[in-house]
């Protein structure tokens, strides 16, 4: 049977104090909301006994001595009473026994009728002592605690014997009165100081719980401090510190250790003696027809030893080339698109960029894009002037053109290395590699091979037989078979590693590309990876990253726009990056020159790329990686570029007049930009057949490829991505019926108001001008 708990009113009666005093004592220690009928728990009883049993040592000893004397006297009195009761019962029984009759010679039959025997009287002893008594046993544990330490009593030889529970219960009301007189404290004890820990942010309810008070008290204190907060609202550490200080509570800062800190530890700088030289990581970029692939093949075949000739059985997107006792790691990326994609994810894994330029062609538009990408990534550039075996090769012309893009050759006093090579004849390949080694020595590229591996995913794919396969480049530390790695939003254990020649390897040091298997999912190109030791924490971190990525997709975070440009400048942003595209190269250079002249002391306008042609997905990728906006002059973005800009939240602005572009950028820099109208594209239609109607004009038989076309919309005629004319719709028909709008995947006839020179393949872009609330 469960032991009955003691209530506040009963204990107050035992201690000869008021129930209100006990309730206030418990509230001071964080146990609020008690009433006089509340049953007390063990920890609450401990607080009360600790408060009311802090007596002077002499008083405690005296109390115990008098308590023992009282118990002994009571036992002696009880023994005497028992002996008296036994004697009285014995006497009564002796008196009730029948006496023997007097001997006589008279026969029994002559004595007359016998008297009936009397029944025995059942004598019952009744204990008339008080039925209500103090259970002193429940106080023994606390009292024993005080004498457990002999130093706390004046005489260490004093020993308290634990009394029989029945003897203590028979103490009666007289013992309660004596106990109450002795237990009254003779001094007020010092309350225990409460300490709590608080993180950088904490909710009001959690703070109240840690302070052991009600949330209402915390809210009242916050209101007095002019802070309006509910139970679920978060407050910072400073506010929580002030609230706790008002309640005389000590606050310490709680150190929150994130999952990244637990897994990766502190990023402490490596000691100089642990750093070893590593191979440079090189990416080859250039125009598609300038021999980039041929140069890569020449580099690989020239430096494969005879025993390994033809032994390259597997190409994994990155490979090593050995020159003497030195290594060079080449990344074989498809143009500069993958290069930009990696940089957009924050992975600048390359040290040197080799720019391939054909000696007979010179600088081409894609060459300019490659230069701008390399500059934006802040990597060293080595120019390989290829196709020197052709009759029309002119390396001096190439060097002269390079100066227009701030690349001054070493022969002319600059710092750009230019090496004339021939991928077909295999000439000067060794010199190019020596220049790469020389540049790497100047950079002093070092890494610590003793650390857990860290690096970047170069490319990844899902193989039908092997599962998720990823090509990774180790940047620091050493990757081993069996290591647990985290790559972006995926994790797994490395089951197998192969190098660029298809050989299985057990370890991979810094600047070594390997192909690994064992990941749970396919990671993204450019995702950083790290080797960890705790698989459970690794899965937790991956789940957290997936949740953050999903939240980020639905967030309203955007890249730089003209609307918030002035706010960025005020908040400390000093550079405005712009990508300029125009219908012809001359216009692009003119717009670039005009925009760069807008730079002032507060903000610098930097045109990171200027080129001719329609705005494509590559331009949006570059702008997203560089936090830039795109300016289009007399051209329009294609469908893929529009979708990519919406996905990456990159702003695209198009103009027909250069002064409008300059004025808007200048107004945005001064904080005066307040556009009244905003252009909204409704849809696009492709012209598939021209119908000429007498006295009406030219009708464009069109197919709606995207969105819809409405009768009231304005029309922009695009030919090869260039704006030809802007007009409004004169007629919109389906078969012979006039309609208000035509949806996607339907055919229709569109007649323009003033433009009749429509041709097959033209694109009609429908848009409206919406007023923007100021």
């Amino acid at each position: 049977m469960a032991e009955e708990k003691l209530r506040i009113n009963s204990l107050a009666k035992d201690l000869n104090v008021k129930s209100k005093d006990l309730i206030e004592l418990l509230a001071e220690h964080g146990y609020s909301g008690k009433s006089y009928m509340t049953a007390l728990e063990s920890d609450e009883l401990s607080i009360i006994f600790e408060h009311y049993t802090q007596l002077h040592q002499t008083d405690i000893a005296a109390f115990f001595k008098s308590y023992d004397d009282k118990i002994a006297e009571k036992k002696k009195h009880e023994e005497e009473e028992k002996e008296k009761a036994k004697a009285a019962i014995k006497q009564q029984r002796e008196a009730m026994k029948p006496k023997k009759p007097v001997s006589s010679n008279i026969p029994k039959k002559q004595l007359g009728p016998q008297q009936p025997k009397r029944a025995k009287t059942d004598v019952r002893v009744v204990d008339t002592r008080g039925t209500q008594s103090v259970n002193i046993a429940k106080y023994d544990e606390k009292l024993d605690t005080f004498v457990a330490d002999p130093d706390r009593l004046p005489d260490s030889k004093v020993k308290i014997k634990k009394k029989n529970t029945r003897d203590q219960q028979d103490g009666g009301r007289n013992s309660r009165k004596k106990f109450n007189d002795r237990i009254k404290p003779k001094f007020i004890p010092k309350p225990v100081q409460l300490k709590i820990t608080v993180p950088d942010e904490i909710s009001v309810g959690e703070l109240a719980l840690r302070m052991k008070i009600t949330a209402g008290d915390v809210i009242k204190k916050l209101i007095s401090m002019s802070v309006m907060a509910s139970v679920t609202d978060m407050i910072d550490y400073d506010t929580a510190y002030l609230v706790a200080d008002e309640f005389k509570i000590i606050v310490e800062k709680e150190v929150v250790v994130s999952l990244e800190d637990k897994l990766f530890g502190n990023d402490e700088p490596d000691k100089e003696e642990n750093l070893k030289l590593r191979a440079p990581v090189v990416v080859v970029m250039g125009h598609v027809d300038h021999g980039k692939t041929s140069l890569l093949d020449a580099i690989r075949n020239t430096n494969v030893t005879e025993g390994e000739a033809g032994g390259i059985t597997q190409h994994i997107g990155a490979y090593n080339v050995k020159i003497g006792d030195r290594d060079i790691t080449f990344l074989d990326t498809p143009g500069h698109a993958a290069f930009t994609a990696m940089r957009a994810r924050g992975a600048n894994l390359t040290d040197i960029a080799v720019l391939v330029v054909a000696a007979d062609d010179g600088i081409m538009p894609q060459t300019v894009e490659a230069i701008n990408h390399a500059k934006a990534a802040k990597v060293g550039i080595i120019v390989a002037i290829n196709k020197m075996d052709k009759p029309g090769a002119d390396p001096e012309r190439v060097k002269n053109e390079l100066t227009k893009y701030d690349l001054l050759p070493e022969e002319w006093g600059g710092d750009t290395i230019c090496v004339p090579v021939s991928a077909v004849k295999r000439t000067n390949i060794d010199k190019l590699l020596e220049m790469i080694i020389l540049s790497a020595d100047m950079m002093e590229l070092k890494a610590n091979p003793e650390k857990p591996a860290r690096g970047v995913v170069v490319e990844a794919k899902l193989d039908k037989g092997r599962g998720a396969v990823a090509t990774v480049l180790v940047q620091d530390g050493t990757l081993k078979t069996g290591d647990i790695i985290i790559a972006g939003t995926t994790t797994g254990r490395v089951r197998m590693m192969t190098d660029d020649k298809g050989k299985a390897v057990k370890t991979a040091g810094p600047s070594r590309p390997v192909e690994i298997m064992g990941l749970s999912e396919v990671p993204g190109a450019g995702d950083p990876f790290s080797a960890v030791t705790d698989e459970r924490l690794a899965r937790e971190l991956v789940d957290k990253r997936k949740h953050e990525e999903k939240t980020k997709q639905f967030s309203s975070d955007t890249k730089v726009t003209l609307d918030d440009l002035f706010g960025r400048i005020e908040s400390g942003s000093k550079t405005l990056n712009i990508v300029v595209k125009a219908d012809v190269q001359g216009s692009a250079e003119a717009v670039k020159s005009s925009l760069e002249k807008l730079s002032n002391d507060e903000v610098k306008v930097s045109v990171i790329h200027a080129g001719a042609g329609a705005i494509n997905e590559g331009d949006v990728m570059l702008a997203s990686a560089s936090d830039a906006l795109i300016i289009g002059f007399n051209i329009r973005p294609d469908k893929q570029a529009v979708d990519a800009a919406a996905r990456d939240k990159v702003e695209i602005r198009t103009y027909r007049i250069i002064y409008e572009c300059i004025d808007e950028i200048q107004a945005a820099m001064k904080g005066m930009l307040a556009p009244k109208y905003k252009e909204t594209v409704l849809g696009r239609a492709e012209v598939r057949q021209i119908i000429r109607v007498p006295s009406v004009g030219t009708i464009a038989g069109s197919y709606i490829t995207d969105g819809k076309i409405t009768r009231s919309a304005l029309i922009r005629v695009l030919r090869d991505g260039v704006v030809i004319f802007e007009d409004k719709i004169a007629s919109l028909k389906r078969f012979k019926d006039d309609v208000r709008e035509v949806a996607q995947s339907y055919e229709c006839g569109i007649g323009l108001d003033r433009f009749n020179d429509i041709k097959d393949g033209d694109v009609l872009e429908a848009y409206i001008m919406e007023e923007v609330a100021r």
Side-chain angles (χ1 to χ4, degrees):
M1 186 175 179
E3 182 181 353
E4 185 178 357
K5 294 184 178 179
L6 192 65
R7 300 184 184 276
I8 288 182
N9 59 348
S10 177
L11 181 60
K13 195 172 182 181
D14 289 344
L15 299 178
N16 197 23
V17 295
K18 294 181 180 180
S19 300
K20 181 181 177 182
D21 296 339
L22 298 185
I23 293 172
E24 290 178 353
L25 176 63
L26 291 174
E28 290 176 1
H29 289 78
Y31 297 92
S32 58
K34 305 292 183 182
S35 67
Y36 70 96
M37 288 296 292
T38 302
L40 295 172
E41 301 294 339
S42 59
D43 53 346
E44 296 168 342
L45 282 170
S46 299
I47 293 173
I48 294 174
F49 284 125
E50 189 172 346
H51 181 80
Y52 282 103
T53 56
Q54 292 182 356
L55 306 177
H56 292 293
Q57 294 178 350
T58 55
D59 291 339
I60 294 173
F63 165 73
F64 286 140
K65 187 175 185 305
S66 109
Y67 183 76
D68 286 340
D69 294 343
K70 183 181 83 63
I71 294 299
E73 182 181 352
K74 179 172 69 65
K75 283 189 68 175
K76 182 179 179 182
H77 177 71
E78 288 175 353
E79 294 293 335
E80 292 176 355
E81 291 294 328
K82 286 180 182 179
E83 292 296 330
K84 288 182 181 179
K86 288 180 181 179
I89 293 171
K90 185 176 181 182
Q91 188 176 1
Q92 285 183 353
R93 287 179 178 176
E94 291 291 336
M96 292 176 63
K97 286 183 179 180
K99 295 181 179 180
K100 293 182 180 180
V102 180
S103 299
S104 174
N105 296 326
I106 304 173
K108 292 183 179 180
K109 292 182 178 180
Q110 297 180 5
L111 291 177
Q114 294 182 0
Q115 296 293 329
K117 294 182 179 180
R118 295 181 60 184
K120 291 184 179 181
T121 305
D122 187 11
V123 178
R124 184 161 58 98
V125 179
V126 179
D127 188 2
T128 60
R129 287 170 291 179
T131 57
Q132 294 184 359
S133 61
V134 178
N135 184 9
I136 301 187
K138 62 189 177 185
Y139 304 121
D140 285 348
E141 184 178 354
K142 278 295 171 184
L143 297 178
D144 290 345
T145 304
F146 270 82
V147 298
D149 185 5
D151 296 335
R152 298 187 64 175
L153 295 178
D155 185 5
S156 61
K157 296 182 180 180
V158 176
K159 294 183 179 178
I160 306 299
K161 294 182 180 180
K162 193 168 183 178
K163 305 300 184 244
N164 189 299
T165 303
R166 184 174 178 182
D167 295 340
Q168 293 173 351
Q169 289 177 346
D170 293 340
R173 294 180 179 175
N174 295 330
S175 64
R176 180 193 300 168
K177 187 172 185 290
K178 192 169 185 180
F179 179 78
N180 291 341
D181 294 339
R182 290 290 183 180
I183 207 68
K184 287 182 181 179
K186 289 184 169 59
F187 63 92
I188 299 175
K190 185 178 180 181
V192 179
Q193 186 71 47
L194 182 62
K195 287 184 179 181
I196 63 172
T197 59
V198 176
D200 292 333
E201 285 188 342
I202 189 172
S203 65
V204 174
E206 178 65 21
L207 179 63
L209 190 64
R210 296 189 183 190
M211 293 171 60
K212 298 183 179 180
I213 59 176
T214 62
D217 294 337
V218 176
I219 293 174
K220 289 178 184 177
K221 190 62 66 177
L222 288 171
I223 293 174
S224 67
M225 297 165 58
S226 302
V227 177
M228 307 302 294
S230 64
V231 178
T232 57
D233 287 344
M234 304 295 291
I235 58 175
D236 57 13
Y237 171 79
D238 295 334
T239 305
Y241 181 88
L242 294 175
V243 171
D245 189 59
E246 292 289 331
F247 290 94
K248 310 300 182 188
I249 296 175
I250 299 175
V251 179
E252 295 179 353
K253 188 70 172 287
E254 181 178 338
V255 179
V256 180
V257 182
S258 64
L259 286 175
E260 286 85 353
D261 293 337
K262 291 179 181 178
L263 282 169
F264 309 136
N266 297 327
D267 237 352
E268 298 179 355
D270 296 310
K271 296 180 179 179
E272 189 65 31
E273 59 267 19
N274 296 333
L275 295 176
K276 305 290 177 62
L277 286 174
R278 65 173 178 85
V281 180
V282 181
V283 63
V284 180
M285 298 190 299
H287 196 72
V288 290
D289 295 329
H290 284 193
K292 179 177 77 76
T293 304
S294 300
L295 182 61
L296 288 171
D297 292 339
I299 290 173
R300 279 187 294 180
N301 295 332
T302 303
N303 292 275
V304 173
T305 61
E306 293 180 2
E308 296 175 346
I312 301 178
T313 58
Q314 186 180 14
H315 181 229
I316 60 173
Y319 53 90
N320 266 3
V321 172
K322 202 167 190 66
I323 303 179
D325 59 345
R326 301 291 296 275
D327 290 334
I328 302 176
T329 299
F330 282 91
L331 292 183
D332 188 4
T333 59
H336 46 259
F339 178 81
T340 308
M342 292 177 187
R343 192 169 64 85
R345 290 179 174 86
N348 281 331
L349 69 161
T350 53
D351 304 311
I352 299 171
V354 174
L355 183 67
V356 180
V357 184
D360 57 343
D361 268 354
I363 304 296
M364 300 296 284
Q366 289 189 8
T367 311
V368 177
E369 291 184 9
I371 292 173
N372 293 330
H373 280 278
K375 283 185 176 180
K378 297 179 180 177
V379 298
I381 298 176
I382 295 178
V383 180
I385 305 176
N386 196 18
K387 300 186 180 181
M388 288 298 295
D389 56 302
K390 284 200 171 185
D394 188 1
E396 296 301 320
R397 179 169 71 91
V398 173
K399 294 177 182 178
N400 188 32
E401 291 177 350
L402 287 173
T403 58
K404 298 178 183 178
Y405 304 99
D406 299 328
L407 295 177
L408 192 62
E410 284 186 332
E411 296 87 349
W412 297 0
D415 55 0
T416 302
I417 300 174
C418 296
V419 182
V421 297
S422 174
V424 176
K425 300 292 185 180
R426 306 284 197 268
T427 56
N428 274 354
I429 300 297
D430 292 338
K431 184 178 180 183
L432 175 63
L433 297 177
E434 288 174 4
M435 290 296 105
I436 293 174
I437 291 292
L438 179 61
S439 299
D441 291 341
M442 298 292 291
M443 296 178 183
E444 294 184 353
L445 305 173
K446 293 183 179 182
N448 182 6
E450 304 300 327
K451 294 168 56 177
R454 292 190 182 187
V456 178
V457 177
V458 178
E459 61 184 20
K461 61 183 177 180
L462 186 63
D463 190 272
K464 186 179 294 185
R466 298 183 295 169
V469 180
T471 300
V472 300
L473 178 68
V474 181
Q475 293 179 297
D476 204 4
T478 301
L479 183 64
K480 304 172 184 176
T481 303
D483 283 353
I484 302 166
I485 67 169
I486 297 177
T489 56
T490 182
T491 183
R493 188 181 294 272
V494 180
R495 297 201 311 264
M496 184 178 180
M497 284 194 302
T498 55
D499 61 8
D500 57 313
K501 298 174 180 59
K503 296 180 180 178
V505 293
K506 296 293 185 183
T507 60
S511 297
R512 288 284 295 182
V514 288
E515 189 176 69
I516 63 172
M517 289 179 287
L519 295 176
S520 57
E521 299 175 12
V522 179
D527 284 345
F529 80 87
S530 299
V532 296
T533 56
D534 195 321
E535 191 171 3
R536 182 184 62 82
L537 288 179
R539 286 196 295 267
E540 286 184 18
L541 179 58
V542 166
D543 292 339
K544 177 186 173 185
R545 286 180 176 178
K546 286 181 179 178
H547 177 71
E548 291 175 350
E549 186 175 332
K550 188 178 292 184
T551 305
K552 187 177 180 180
Q553 289 179 354
F554 296 101
S555 67
S556 58
D557 185 26
T558 59
K559 303 289 183 181
V560 61
T561 63
L562 287 185
D563 296 316
D564 67 352
L565 174 60
F566 184 69
R568 285 188 173 227
I569 294 172
E570 284 189 328
S571 64
S573 180
K574 299 297 183 183
T575 303
L576 170 62
N577 295 325
I578 299 177
V579 174
V580 175
K581 294 301 288 289
D583 52 351
V584 292
Q585 187 65 32
S587 299
E589 294 297 330
V591 174
K592 174 184 177 181
S593 176
S594 300
L595 290 175
E596 289 180 340
K597 289 179 181 178
L598 297 177
S599 300
N600 53 35
D601 295 337
E602 295 181 358
V603 61
K604 176 187 176 183
V605 178
S606 175
V607 178
I608 61 175
H609 176 61
I615 299 171
N616 54 38
E617 193 174 4
D619 299 322
V620 177
M621 194 181 299
L622 175 60
S624 176
S626 305
D627 196 15
L629 60 89
I630 300 175
I631 300 293
F633 183 68
N634 214 26
I635 49 105
R636 298 291 300 170
D638 57 21
K639 179 66 171 58
Q640 290 79 10
V642 172
D643 294 342
R647 182 182 65 248
D648 297 340
K649 297 180 175 61
V650 174
E651 185 181 24
I652 300 176
R653 294 249 176 174
T654 58
Y655 302 94
R656 294 293 305 277
I657 303 173
I658 190 171
Y659 298 109
E660 291 181 358
C661 171
I662 304 302
D663 291 343
E664 282 200 4
I665 299 288
Q666 198 168 19
M669 292 171 61
K670 294 179 180 179
M672 298 184 299
L673 180 65
K676 188 176 181 181
Y677 292 95
K678 179 182 179 182
E679 178 186 299
T680 302
V681 177
L682 298 179
R684 293 188 176 201
E686 181 183 347
V687 179
R688 295 190 172 181
Q689 186 179 357
I690 303 299
I691 306 170
R692 302 194 184 276
V693 181
S695 71
V696 175
T698 304
I699 301 298
S702 307
Y703 176 79
I704 311 300
T705 58
D706 183 39
K708 64 181 180 179
I709 304 292
T710 62
R711 176 69 176 78
S712 59
L714 300 174
I715 289 292
R716 184 180 288 116
V717 182
L718 305 178
R719 188 170 297 162
D720 297 329
V722 178
V723 179
I724 301 300
F725 199 80
E726 290 184 351
D727 205 348
K728 60 182 180 179
I729 296 177
S731 63
L732 180 64
K733 293 191 176 186
R734 280 267 301 158
F735 301 105
K736 294 184 179 181
D737 300 327
D738 289 323
V739 292
R740 290 186 176 180
E741 67 177 43
V742 181
Q744 184 178 350
S745 302
Y746 285 95
E747 294 179 341
C748 64
I750 302 175
L752 301 184
D753 188 24
R754 294 176 293 141
F755 187 72
N756 288 320
D757 189 20
I758 302 174
K759 295 182 180 180
D760 290 344
D762 286 352
V763 176
L764 304 181
E765 186 178 65
Y767 66 97
I768 58 174
M769 302 300 292
E770 292 181 337
E771 186 174 356
V772 179
R774 297 188 179 184

